[in-house]
Amino acid sequence: MSGRIESRLLERLDRARARGLWRRPRILDGPQTPEQIVDGRPVLAFCSNDYLGLAADPRVAAAAREGLERYGVGAGAAHLVNGHSRAHAELEEALAAFTGRPRALLFSTGYMANLGVLQTLMSRHDTVFEDRLNHASLIDAARLAGCRTRRYRHADAADLTRRLREPGAETGRLVVTDGVFSMDGDLAPLAELASAARRYNAWLMVDDAHGLGVLGRDGGGSCACFGLGMDDVPVLMGTLGKAFGTAGAFVAGSDTLIEALIQFARSYVYTTAMPPALASATLAAVRIAARETWRREHLAALIARLGAGLEHIGLPRPSSMSPIQPVVLGDTGRASAAAAGLLEHGLLVPAIRPPTVPEATARLRITLSARHTEAQVDRLVETLDRVLARESPGATGLESAR
């Protein structure tokens, strides 16, 4: 590495440290459950995307073991060479059925799925219209696809409509949005976005990483919440590492869409298929998610309990109906201090700071799982009240209310 490049990197690292934005991976010993051993100490974690509690489900693990015995570990090749096993084919069929679409196609990650879609559908003459708070994978996918981009105000269908009317936006048009936004947990106004897209001859793509499996009685996700089908949302992307508890991603849609992705999506064509055993495990998880509606019911009850508890200690109830429940504290230092205080009491809740979220919106990002208990949620609220009261003596909350 040249001295100039290394010097630039060191300067960037120093700036990150100075601004309190330093990140590091934690080491988890054991399965992904609420009660964990992290960095050698026991914690109660409220930071996992394992929304339905399937990551450590013994039935999912058993399916993975059976897949290992049948297929071995690695796929050994790309899907289009000889890496596409029966396990992959069965999972794609199950995902198509789960989402109510003719076909689904597996990708190794959500990043690769989003890139594959935009690179296939868009050319440099086309335009992507995307929400300003879209996930980084969608923003990067539009940049790497080389198309033109227009970003509309967050969850603002009127602003999208105005941009669709702008001169120069008459070529191929794709509206792209998260279904559930990852930092605030709010839903996109999909019915209004779908209406605007239809009116101006655009397709709508929804990245429902945080909605599928979680929202709706049957887990149909954000599209199901609004009663939208494939005619409204031609392109649906979902991930497998959240509600389904494994890893990978997929795109679901029409025969034409899926065939086009198979032929032209570089992030599908030129990468090794996911391990077949992982596909076997995910198939078991999808079936459990579809069948065991109590998981979503329990999760909804925990979300309501947390919101009521936060109100009781003088904090705003998050507007999110998803398992993502942000407590916005504003100042980066305050959010970091609150996360550190919670960790002192054995609770792991991450502080999310700029640039991941806009300036002055640093927050604690609480995520709930169907494996959490009511008592664990109560413990979180009570401990948060103590931590914030310690930072701001005289603040009202549980302690002063007693």
Side-chain angles (χ1 to χ4, degrees):
M1 182 183 297
S2 75
R4 185 183 297 273
I5 293 175
E6 183 169 7
S7 177
R8 280 209 308 264
L9 291 177
L10 289 171
E11 289 175 5
R12 289 184 66 188
L13 291 171
D14 288 342
R15 286 197 300 271
R17 284 192 187 94
R19 296 178 63 197
L21 301 179
W22 194 255
R23 300 176 174 130
R24 68 174 184 85
R26 301 180 185 274
I27 298 177
L28 169 65
D29 287 305
Q32 185 61 255
T33 58
E35 295 181 340
Q36 304 176 351
I37 303 296
V38 175
D39 290 342
R41 64 178 293 180
V43 297
L44 175 59
F46 288 93
C47 53
S48 169
N49 292 329
D50 182 29
Y51 300 136
L52 297 183
L54 294 175
D57 189 285
R59 294 165 293 179
V60 177
R65 286 192 294 272
E66 292 171 8
L68 282 171
E69 292 174 1
R70 180 173 180 182
Y71 299 104
V73 180
H79 285 279
L80 297 180
V81 181
N82 69 338
H84 189 73
S85 69
R86 186 167 298 281
H88 295 111
E90 290 177 352
L91 176 57
E92 288 179 342
E93 291 173 3
L95 290 168
F98 188 89
T99 58
R101 287 157 188 262
R103 292 179 67 181
L105 188 70
L106 291 171
F107 285 80
S108 297
T109 67
Y111 242 97
M112 297 182 75
N114 284 334
L115 176 58
V117 170
L118 267 67
Q119 175 261 321
T120 298
L121 299 185
M122 297 282 100
S123 75
R124 64 188 181 90
H125 302 292
D126 299 324
T127 305
V128 167
F129 299 83
E130 56 179 336
D131 190 293
R132 286 189 177 277
L133 296 188
N134 272 355
H135 189 265
S137 62
L138 290 170
I139 296 169
D140 292 352
R143 290 171 178 165
L144 293 170
C147 55
R148 293 180 288 187
T149 60
R150 300 285 190 276
R151 298 179 72 180
Y152 59 89
R153 288 193 296 266
H154 175 55
D156 190 335
D159 192 46
L160 168 63
T161 299
R162 180 178 66 81
R163 294 183 182 278
L164 285 167
R165 288 176 179 154
E166 290 176 348
E170 297 86 3
T171 56
R173 290 180 282 192
L174 180 68
V175 178
V176 179
T177 182
D178 285 13
V180 175
F181 291 90
S182 60
M183 291 297 110
D184 291 305
D186 56 325
L187 272 68
L190 293 184
E192 297 172 35
L193 298 181
S195 176
R198 279 194 304 271
R199 192 179 314 128
Y200 293 97
N201 197 30
W203 267 17
L204 175 60
M205 173 183 175
V206 174
D207 176 336
D208 209 19
H210 297 278
L212 278 171
V214 176
L215 300 178
R217 175 175 171 79
D218 298 319
S222 58
C223 294
C225 286
F226 293 96
L228 302 179
M230 194 172 69
D231 289 342
D232 307 295
V233 182
V235 187
L236 176 64
M237 194 284 280
T239 55
L240 307 174
K242 297 178 176 65
F244 298 123
T246 59
F250 70 96
V251 177
S254 67
D255 286 329
T256 301
L257 172 67
I258 300 305
E259 279 300 331
L261 293 174
I262 290 171
Q263 302 304 321
F264 308 123
R266 295 170 65 85
S267 58
Y268 174 82
V269 174
Y270 298 110
T271 194
T272 299
M274 69 162 62
L278 182 60
S280 298
T282 307
L283 178 60
V286 170
R287 289 170 174 167
I288 293 169
R291 183 173 64 247
E292 296 186 355
T293 58
W294 67 263
R295 294 176 181 272
R296 285 177 285 278
E297 293 164 2
H298 177 59
L299 192 54
L302 293 180
I303 292 168
R305 191 178 189 91
L306 174 64
L310 293 174
E311 278 189 331
H312 185 61
I313 65 173
L315 292 170
R317 178 191 288 259
S319 60
S320 166
M321 60 185 287
S322 79
I324 301 167
Q325 297 286 298
V327 176
V328 178
L329 299 176
D331 180 70
T332 293
R334 188 179 183 215
S336 297
L342 288 171
L343 188 57
E344 288 177 12
H345 290 84
L347 277 73
L348 181 57
V349 181
I352 307 297
R353 304 154 299 184
T356 304
V357 293
E359 292 291 340
T361 66
R363 80 237 2 233
L364 297 173
R365 182 180 183 267
I366 299 168
T367 55
L368 297 173
S369 166
R371 293 197 63 167
H372 282 118
T373 66
E374 292 182 348
Q376 289 170 337
V377 170
D378 292 345
R379 178 184 166 192
L380 169 63
V381 173
E382 292 166 3
T383 307
L384 179 59
D385 185 42
R386 291 195 202 100
V387 167
L388 293 180
R390 184 178 68 188
E391 292 179 10
S392 305
T396 59
L398 276 178
E399 294 304 316
S400 60
R402 287 175 180 158

